[in-house]
């Protein structure tokens, strides 16, 4: 810590110089106002110590205000003699950080190092709090932008039910207040021409603002081309991949890849078609037998987007059987684990299947609640460390 000192007593100034120049502290002590002002103008200091009658009682306040203007970020600690307390109020009103009494025996000198360090640390904490508040506001603005693109009214084709939810990753703390982070997950459910419903899930690498902006870029692209007719889901995903690879916004070299699951459902023919770009495959639950199995293989999942512009993705399809559920999710759901836990302790696909089986008789909205709750419980209170999106589809007949 660098300390600037202005003092009216030469003997005390020498003692102060000795006591403040310890450890990593550097103090420059002046008994003349001109030297003090030259130092204040030409060098940087973390804190200032001033006798409140320096250089004289009548000019001390003017000097104090000049120092404050030239070093607005450095806390000023004032020293006053007994009987001068009436003068301190004016200094405090105009920005004096704190003050110490100069006892006649000079014992106050022994306290100066601690007082100056405390003043410096207090100001540092205040600045950190201001920065944290600004960061909190910016993160909140981005998070609200992300939530604004999530659908609120899901299409409900005849004979089917659909529920969906997004939750950001674990609450982080900036300063002493919590803030919900912007995330890198995304889902959308919308109608196409005829009886076709489209379900999209995306997951950008990482968390926070960067991941959120990657997802927003993909959402904008999908919105631009979603009304075009594509031969199948694989053709659509390949077009999205090509366009993102040629975009300057996201770079795989900087960890900017995205996983994507793009699905279509024809509610009349019950044909369910999907293509995965590195995304977890759907799970199908037979509500008659309570058997659950994964739709598609890891090999059919393909690479995440923005890695290989020419990658050829695969189309998968099934006829949706009567009385079943299909679960689509991002890996934040299954990769929930305790803060200090091991990978084998994560909620996992096994946990997802257990919850689905346990909730077979519940409405799908309640099933969705249980999936999020059981996944969170697996973290033992630390919260999921990744953003999580889930879409649950049910054929009711």
């Amino acid at each position: 810590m660098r300390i600037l000192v202005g003092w009216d007593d030469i003997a005390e100034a020498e003692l102060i110089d000795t006591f403040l120049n310890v450890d990593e502290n550097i103090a420059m002590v002046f008994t003349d106002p001109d030297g003090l002002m030259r130092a204040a103008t030409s060098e940087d200091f973390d804190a200032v110590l001033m006798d409140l009658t320096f250089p004289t009682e009548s000019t001390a306040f003017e000097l104090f205000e000049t120092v404050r203007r030239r070093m607005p970020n450095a806390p000023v600690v004032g020293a006053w003699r007994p009987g001068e307390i009436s003068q301190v109020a004016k200094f405090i009103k105009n920005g004096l950080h704190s003050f110490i009494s100069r006892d006649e025996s000079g014992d106050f000198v022994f306290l100066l190092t601690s007082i100056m360090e405390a003043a410096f640390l207090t100001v540092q904490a205040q600045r950190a709090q201001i920065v944290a508040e600004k960061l909190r506001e910016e993160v909140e603005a981005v998070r609200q932008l992300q939530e604004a693109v999530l659908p609120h009214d899901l299409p409900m084709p005849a004979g089917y039910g659909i529920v969906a939810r997004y939750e950001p990753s674990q609450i982080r703390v900036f300063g002493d207040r919590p803030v919900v982070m912007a995330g890198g997950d995304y889902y959308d459910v919308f109608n196409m021409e005829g009886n076709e419903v489209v379900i999209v899930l995306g997951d950008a690498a990482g968390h926070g603002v960067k991941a959120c902006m990657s997802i927003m870029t993909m959402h904008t692209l999908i919105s631009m081309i979603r009304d075009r007719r594509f031969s199948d889901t694989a053709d659509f995903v390949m077009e999205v991949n090509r366009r993102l690879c040629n975009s300057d916004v996201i770079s795989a070299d900087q960890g900017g890849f995205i996983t994507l699951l793009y699905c279509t459902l024809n509610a009349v023919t019950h044909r369910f078609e999907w293509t995965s770009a590195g995304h977890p495959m759907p799970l199908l639950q037979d509500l008659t037998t309570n058997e659950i199995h994964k739709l598609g293989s890891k090999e059919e999942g393909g690479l995440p987007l923005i890695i290989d512009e020419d990658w050829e993705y695969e189309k998968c399809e099934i006829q949706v059987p009567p009385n079943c559920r299909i679960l689509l999710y991002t890996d934040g759901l299954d990769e929930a684990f305790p803060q200090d836990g091991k990978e084998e302790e994560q909620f996992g696909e096994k946990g997802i299947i257990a919850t689905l089986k346990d909730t077979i008789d519940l409405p799908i909205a309640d099933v969705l609640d249980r999936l999020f709750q059981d996944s969170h419980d697996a973290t033992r209170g630390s919260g999921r460390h990744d953003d999580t999106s889930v879409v649950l589809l049910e054929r009711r007949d």
Side-chain angles (χ1 to χ4, degrees):
M1 178 175 59
R2 291 178 57 83
I3 307 169
L4 178 63
V5 181
W7 212 255
D8 65 350
D9 185 292
I10 295 178
E12 283 186 351
E14 292 176 353
L15 188 60
I16 290 171
D17 187 287
T18 300
F19 273 90
L20 288 185
N21 279 291
V22 295
D23 299 328
E24 297 180 358
N25 295 331
I26 299 174
M28 297 182 65
V29 183
F30 295 90
T31 56
D32 65 293
D34 292 338
L36 180 81
M37 291 313 305
R38 283 195 297 270
T41 301
S42 61
E43 301 193 39
D44 294 324
F45 292 93
D46 300 307
V48 179
L49 172 65
M50 290 185 64
D51 169 21
L52 298 185
T53 60
F54 173 73
T56 66
E57 186 172 345
S58 61
T59 60
F61 183 72
E62 182 181 349
L63 181 62
F64 163 77
E65 287 195 311
T66 304
V67 170
R68 285 277 298 150
R69 284 194 300 271
R70 295 194 180 183
M71 295 189 296
N73 295 320
V76 180
V77 177
W80 58 278
R81 291 185 178 86
E84 297 173 349
I85 189 64
S86 61
Q87 300 296 322
V88 176
K90 181 169 63 172
F91 287 87
I92 294 175
K93 183 179 179 180
N94 288 274
L96 184 69
H97 179 275
S98 54
F99 56 88
I100 184 173
S101 174
R102 294 173 61 179
D103 57 286
E104 294 182 359
S105 62
D107 291 340
F108 73 94
V109 175
F110 298 102
L111 301 175
L112 288 179
T113 299
S114 297
I115 290 173
M116 299 307 297
E117 289 178 350
F120 172 66
L121 292 175
T122 299
V123 170
Q124 289 290 94
Q126 291 170 346
R127 290 178 195 156
Q129 186 67 31
I130 293 172
V131 172
E133 188 61 37
K134 290 184 179 296
L135 179 58
R136 185 182 294 109
E137 291 173 358
E138 292 183 7
V139 169
E140 178 64 15
V142 175
R143 187 184 67 81
Q144 289 177 357
L145 176 64
Q146 178 191 19
E147 291 188 351
V149 305
L150 298 176
H152 297 289
D153 298 316
L154 302 183
M156 208 64 62
Y160 284 86
I162 303 176
V163 291
R165 182 188 300 177
Y166 160 78
E167 284 189 6
S169 58
Q170 176 188 6
I171 289 177
R172 308 290 179 85
V173 174
F174 293 106
D176 60 354
R177 290 172 52 197
V179 59
V180 179
M181 295 294 289
D185 267 24
Y186 160 75
Y187 75 86
D188 200 1
V189 184
F190 55 89
N191 283 315
M192 291 287 283
E193 293 181 4
N195 299 296
E196 200 166 72
V197 174
V198 175
I199 304 173
V200 185
L201 280 88
D203 185 1
H207 327 284
V209 174
K210 180 180 177 182
C212 179
M213 298 314 294
S214 295
I215 282 294
M216 293 297 296
T217 300
M218 186 180 73
H219 166 73
T220 302
L221 172 58
I222 290 177
S223 298
M224 290 170 55
I225 66 174
R226 76 181 197 178
D227 292 331
R228 289 175 48 189
R229 300 306 301 177
F230 290 86
S231 59
D232 54 37
T233 55
D235 191 26
F236 182 91
V237 172
M238 284 189 284
E239 177 67 12
V240 171
N241 182 51
R242 280 192 293 268
R243 293 196 180 208
L244 289 177
C245 284
N246 289 292
S247 168
D248 295 331
V249 179
I250 312 172
S251 171
D253 294 338
Q254 299 176 357
F257 64 85
I258 301 172
T259 70
L260 174 67
L261 185 65
Y262 185 81
C263 316
T264 59
L265 168 69
N266 188 305
V268 174
T269 65
H270 306 297
R271 184 173 64 90
F272 183 74
E273 182 179 307
W274 73 96
T275 293
S276 169
H279 201 89
M281 287 295 196
L283 294 176
L284 175 68
Q285 180 180 22
D286 186 326
L287 297 179
T288 303
T289 65
N290 208 9
E291 293 180 352
I292 298 173
H293 66 272
K294 184 181 294 186
L295 297 178
S297 65
K298 184 177 181 180
E299 289 72 24
E300 291 173 310
L303 291 176
L305 304 175
I306 326 176
I307 292 180
D308 184 346
E309 179 181 354
D310 300 318
W311 186 266
E312 294 188 4
Y313 292 94
E314 295 188 37
K315 177 192 74 173
C316 304
E317 63 179 311
I318 61 166
Q319 288 297 119
V320 180
N323 200 31
C324 76
R325 290 170 178 165
I326 298 177
L327 178 71
L328 318 169
Y329 61 95
T330 60
D331 58 13
L333 184 68
D334 65 306
E335 293 181 357
F337 57 89
Q339 181 72 43
D340 300 321
K342 299 177 182 178
E343 186 174 342
E344 56 267 24
E345 295 183 86
Q346 70 180 20
F347 187 54
E349 186 179 294
K350 183 183 296 185
I352 295 174
I353 291 175
T355 297
L356 289 175
K357 287 188 173 184
D358 190 50
T359 57
I360 186 172
D361 295 324
L362 296 179
I364 55 174
D366 294 341
V367 177
L368 189 67
D369 289 341
R370 275 286 303 276
L371 283 167
F372 275 89
Q373 184 60 54
D374 291 355
S375 174
H376 181 274
D377 289 347
T379 70
R380 299 175 191 166
S382 64
R384 282 183 297 272
H385 312 304
D386 199 0
D387 316 305
T388 304
S389 294
V390 176
V391 178
L392 183 59
L393 170 72
E394 179 181 72
R395 182 178 175 186
R396 293 169 173 163
D397 57 355

